[in-house]
Amino acid sequence: MENILIIGAAGQIGSELTLELRKIYGNGHVYATDIKEADRDVRESGPFQLLDVMDDKHLIHFVIRHKITQIYHLAAVLSGNAEKLPNAAWHINMDSLMNILEVAKLVEDVKKVFWPSSIAVFGPTTPKKLAPQVTTMEPVTVYGISKLAGERWCEYFFRRYNVDIRSLRYPGLVSFKTEPGGGTTDWAVEIYFDAVRKGSYLCFLNEDTKLPMMFMADAIRATINLMELERSEISLHSAYNISGPSLSPSEVAEDIRRHIPDFSISYHPDFRQAIAETWPESVDDSLARSHDHWKPTYDLTKITDTMIGEIRKMTENK
Ligand code: SER
């Protein structure tokens, strides 16, 4: 019997992952938590509770009381927001991870932990194309530094305390259910919402800035696949590279015009341009693919068709 704790269930990943895990493990066995209210479907389809992962005493009580066996820790301050308050972002991102690792170490029932890493672990000295799994990593953002340090801590807890922690270096995630907040790849979500609702988009990156992206359904599948692998099949307890299509704003804009011919885009790069320029254009995820035969199913065309279709439905139903 699995009992799963989701931290960050109101967020971009958590709001979708919670519902998928409830389908697999049963509604009553997936405990959704966040520091803010989650969507109605997350709150009403199973247990939801406000919980602050920074509060280690409440966290451990919660885990013991509900006999939690797996934790997905998805709460984080993303790259753009983290640059505004670097010290606070560092503490939130690192202390929350350390609280989870400590709980997993102390509570015997907790068998597995998932924590997301990111392409932000790479930096300007990493190869731009097909960034390898093991390569030079000199991140220049506080978010990237916290993810790289986090990867090392995950590996440390595995080696030292046998904590089974699993992780993926997510690229920018494209989704329609819950928008991200404060990330450098947020444009790839905003562009679709603004295309449907306004017919135009003011992009905070340059037109030709290409970054690795992935549609949320693929990211969720990759995550659940990774967590379902036998422990003996996991060769990395830091984080696997994982990737979908590499996309630039002008390519996405062009594809949107298949649906909205008059769609217009203008560019006003802000501080996030400098962040994007330190990240690779694409990553080599062959190790992850060889492990569980995972591969992405959404290319740009399918992402655009799904995003436009779903956002139109949501807009009409309002
Ligand atoms: N999507 C994240 C960000 O832009 C990267 O992991 O901050």
Side-chain angles (χ1 to χ4, degrees), residues 60-237:
I60 199 160
H61 281 139
F62 191 98
V63 167
I64 293 169
R65 187 166 69 244
H66 297 290
K67 299 188 169 50
I68 297 297
T69 58
Q70 295 185 30
I71 303 176
Y72 288 74
H73 170 31
L74 307 168
V77 183
L78 292 184
S79 58
N81 277 350
E83 289 310 299
K84 295 176 191 160
L85 284 171
N87 194 32
W90 169 259
H91 282 297
I92 292 169
N93 290 353
M94 294 314 298
D95 295 354
S96 65
L97 174 61
M98 296 308 276
N99 285 349
I100 294 293
L101 292 174
E102 276 297 316
V103 165
K105 181 181 98 183
L106 294 172
V107 182
E108 221 175 291
D109 280 346
V110 177
K111 300 290 183 232
K112 286 184 231 176
V113 176
F114 179 82
W115 167 83
S117 185
S118 159
I119 52 164
V121 292
F122 300 120
T125 49
T126 301
K128 274 268 166 228
K129 293 203 167 118
L130 289 176
Q133 175 69 45
V134 179
T135 185
T136 308
M137 292 197 280
E138 296 183 316
V140 296
T141 62
V142 69
Y143 176 72
I145 298 169
S146 73
K147 288 295 185 188
L148 183 53
E151 285 190 9
R152 297 294 90 216
W153 274 113
C154 290
E155 173 115 356
Y156 183 88
F157 268 71
F158 170 71
R159 284 173 188 268
R160 178 97 200 254
Y161 307 115
N162 213 16
V163 173
D164 182 1
I165 175 139
R166 305 172 183 200
S167 178
L168 298 169
R169 290 177 183 150
Y170 287 136
L173 298 178
V174 184
S175 66
F176 56 84
K177 184 169 162 35
T178 307
E179 292 194 53
T184 302
T185 55
D186 292 11
W187 68 267
V189 175
E190 292 171 2
I191 192 171
Y192 289 108
F193 277 90
D194 281 10
V196 173
R197 291 177 179 164
K198 301 192 219 154
S200 64
Y201 178 55
L202 177 60
C203 187
F204 59 78
L205 294 188
N206 277 332
E207 60 180 305
D208 52 3
T209 309
K210 225 186 221 308
L211 289 172
M213 297 287 173
M214 181 176 287
F215 192 64
M216 185 60 83
D218 277 336
I220 300 283
R221 203 162 44 82
T223 306
I224 295 175
N225 280 356
L226 179 75
M227 288 296 273
E228 286 187 342
L229 284 178
E230 290 299 324
R231 189 183 167 125
S232 57
E233 294 175 277
I234 304 284
S235 64
L236 262 187
H237 288 272

Side-chain angles (χ1 to χ4, degrees), residues 170-307:
Y170 287 136
L173 298 178
V174 184
S175 66
F176 56 84
K177 184 169 162 35
T178 307
E179 292 194 53
T184 302
T185 55
D186 292 11
W187 68 267
V189 175
E190 292 171 2
I191 192 171
Y192 289 108
F193 277 90
D194 281 10
V196 173
R197 291 177 179 164
K198 301 192 219 154
S200 64
Y201 178 55
L202 177 60
C203 187
F204 59 78
L205 294 188
N206 277 332
E207 60 180 305
D208 52 3
T209 309
K210 225 186 221 308
L211 289 172
M213 297 287 173
M214 181 176 287
F215 192 64
M216 185 60 83
D218 277 336
I220 300 283
R221 203 162 44 82
T223 306
I224 295 175
N225 280 356
L226 179 75
M227 288 296 273
E228 286 187 342
L229 284 178
E230 290 299 324
R231 189 183 167 125
S232 57
E233 294 175 277
I234 304 284
S235 64
L236 262 187
H237 288 272
S238 52
Y240 288 91
N241 278 2
I242 187 155
S243 188
S246 290
L247 303 173
S248 69
S250 60
E251 281 171 316
V252 175
E254 195 47 45
D255 203 47
I256 288 174
R257 291 195 189 99
R258 289 188 295 110
H259 294 269
I260 306 169
D262 295 338
F263 174 62
S264 68
I265 182 163
S266 41
Y267 301 93
H268 185 65
D270 67 14
F271 70 102
R272 285 170 285 188
Q273 179 65 34
I275 298 177
E277 284 172 13
T278 70
W279 291 352
E281 263 180 46
S282 58
V283 305
D284 174 6
D285 64 353
S286 46
L287 185 65
R289 291 191 193 213
S290 71
H291 267 49
D292 58 1
H293 310 291
W294 180 86
K295 59 175 187 320
T297 58
Y298 282 77
D299 59 8
L300 175 57
T301 310
K302 198 167 162 197
I303 292 176
T304 300
D305 293 350
T306 310
M307 289 296 285

